Amino acid sequence: MTSPNENSAKEKNDLSKQQEFVLKTIEERNIRFIRLWFTDVLGFLKSVAIAPAELENAFAEGIGFDGSSIQGFARVTESDMLAKPDPATFSILPWRTEAPGAARMFCDIYRPDGSAAAVDPRQVLKRTLQEAAQMGFTCYTHPEIEFFLFKEEPKENSRPIPVDSAGYFDHTPSMVGHDFRRAAITLLEAMGVSVEFSHHEGAPGQQEIDLRYADALSTADNIMTFRHVIKEVALEQGFFASFMPKPFTEFPGSAMHTHLSLFSGETNAFYDAASPMQLSKVGRSFIAGVIKHAPEICMVTNQWVNSYKRITGGGEAPAFATWAQSDRNAMVRIPTYKPKKEASTRIEIRTPDSACNPYLAFAVIIAAGLKGIKENYELLDNQKPQQLPTDLAEAISAMEKSELVRKTLGEEVFEFALANKRAEWDQYRDRKSTRLNSSHGYISYAVFCL
């Protein structure tokens, strides 16, 4: 058996090799700008560019920045923070092909004393994945990301104009749907983000691109890359892309249905050939945990006022904490695309929308499932299902009483998220009372721009 010290030495050696590869590639490819990416608590991408000469120091010590200027990161009196790039996330930016080139890496955020910043969403997910690892599990996720393409950037309180009037799986004219997706997928794969499927979704202008299975941390990084690439391609082609959960009352909203499984080594911990649906006790308890804690994690998986237009608006969006095999209105579905194939046994969480912070959303979903496993929750029939929050205010109320979410997010992220969403709800109520769009209710311009 490998000792903890041996594992630590191996990890340091692997990290050193990754750093050497990055430094060598930057020199060979004439990379002049290195963008360091990280996210704030709300899931907005942040970036700082450094020169190649600064990279070795960035690997060793991090790049200092003012954390008090980042949503949810720090008070002014404790604002000094460090962004340390993760060399495993290095990628050359394929839309910066002219010399000199540019590259990016995701960062972990640290305090000046070297401790991991509790407010860093990437660190929040890492903590949850470490808990899973201590239980013997690796978490794999596969998101189906939906979004809208509009003809132009919407004006505040105006109705957006979709780029087409097509529906589910429709083959749309060139440069409107499939050519857009082809251009986006080409850039994504050039950055190491593997794509499994793409197609037109059910609403006019609505697209879906599904990423391949990866470990949960890589998937969260990939989602952040995905959202940036989609915006880049849309601008290049003269369109406007939005991950807003529910732009139209009469059409389905944009979800981020997430397939999830736990593996113990090479074995799928959700699979049991002898059990109903080939779902193991571990899998059933995981689902039971997600179902039981669904209302309290909803403010993280569905963090915007507009998110609840989708949840309560039909269109196969889950309104209740239920589970099923075939019912796509259920919150948790057990897909049966390839029955009796061990690697394919998984669950599909249908609550999250594509405007969530993926690091925090994955963290609370996985934490709820792990709690179900640890405490041997029983998966019950949907006799008296809990209703999911019908608006952001109800989601806030459910989360503020949750010890599970408080522990998972950490005190600082938990309190900031609640304060931020209370302010959003208050602003929504104030503005809705004076300005109501007859088409789809008050929608902030900032939400259109998600």
Side-chain angles (χ1 to χ4, degrees), residues 150-165:
F150 301 136
K151 288 185 177 180
E152 58 186 12
E153 184 173 347
K155 296 178 175 61
E156 187 163 4
N157 290 308
S158 67
R159 182 180 174 89
I161 304 171
V163 296
D164 59 52
S165 57

Side-chain angles (χ1 to χ4, degrees), residues 25-35 49-52 90 92-104:
T25 302
I26 285 171
E27 182 178 359
E28 290 177 347
R29 299 289 295 272
N30 190 25
I31 302 299
R32 177 65 182 83
F33 300 98
I34 301 148
R35 295 180 183 173
I50 63 172
F90 174 79
I92 295 172
L93 298 180
W95 58 86
R96 293 288 183 264
T97 54
E98 69 280 3
R104 73 95 165 96

Side-chain angles (χ1 to χ4, degrees), residues 262-319:
L262 298 183
F263 272 69
S264 180
E266 299 296 318
T267 302
N268 186 345
F270 282 1
Y271 179 74
D272 182 353
S275 296
M277 301 173 289
Q278 288 83 55
L279 191 66
S280 69
K281 176 65 170 69
V282 166
R284 295 177 70 86
S285 291
F286 189 98
I287 294 173
V290 173
I291 294 291
K292 180 174 181 178
H293 298 286
E296 62 203 78
I297 68 175
C298 212
M299 202 201 83
V300 180
T301 59
N302 306 83
Q303 66 169 330
W304 304 100
V305 165
N306 183 254
S307 297
Y308 296 87
K309 309 288 186 185
R310 170 183 161 255
I311 286 180
T312 60
E316 296 186 347

Side-chain angles (χ1 to χ4, degrees), residues 379-436:
L379 185 60
L380 305 175
D381 292 335
N382 299 313
Q383 293 178 339
K384 294 183 179 180
Q386 297 183 89
Q387 185 174 21
L388 295 175
T390 60
D391 58 34
L392 184 60
E394 289 185 12
I396 292 168
S397 179
M399 179 172 135
E400 61 191 358
K401 298 186 286 287
S402 173
E403 287 304 314
L404 170 72
V405 179
R406 183 184 294 272
K407 176 177 179 292
T408 302
L409 299 185
E411 193 72 26
E412 293 173 83
V413 173
F414 182 81
E415 291 297 341
F416 170 81
L418 284 173
N420 181 277
K421 293 305 162 183
R422 290 185 190 114
E424 182 184 337
W425 178 252
D426 289 344
Q427 182 189 44
Y428 167 73
R429 286 190 307 171
D430 291 344
R431 295 188 69 178
K432 185 181 179 184
S433 66
T434 58
R435 217 180 339 175
L436 185 66

Side-chain angles (χ1 to χ4, degrees), residues 250-267:
E250 67 272 35
F251 299 123
S254 289
M256 189 178 76
H257 302 149
T258 299
H259 297 246
L260 186 148
S261 58
L262 298 183
F263 272 69
S264 180
E266 299 296 318
T267 302

Side-chain angles (χ1 to χ4, degrees), residues 36 38 48-50 54 57-58 61-67 79-85 109-112:
L36 306 184
F38 60 95
V48 58
I50 63 172
E54 302 299 318
N57 183 63
E61 300 177 4
I63 297 296
F65 69 97
D66 177 9
S79 60
D80 291 336
M81 290 188 165
L82 296 164
K84 282 191 175 183
I109 309 303
Y110 291 86
R111 302 284 187 187

Side-chain angles (χ1 to χ4, degrees), residues 106 125 141 215-225 358-359 362:
F106 282 97
L125 179 55
T141 50
D215 66 274
L217 182 62
S218 296
T219 302
D221 289 342
N222 289 344
I223 291 168
M224 295 307 302
T225 301
Y359 300 100
F362 287 173

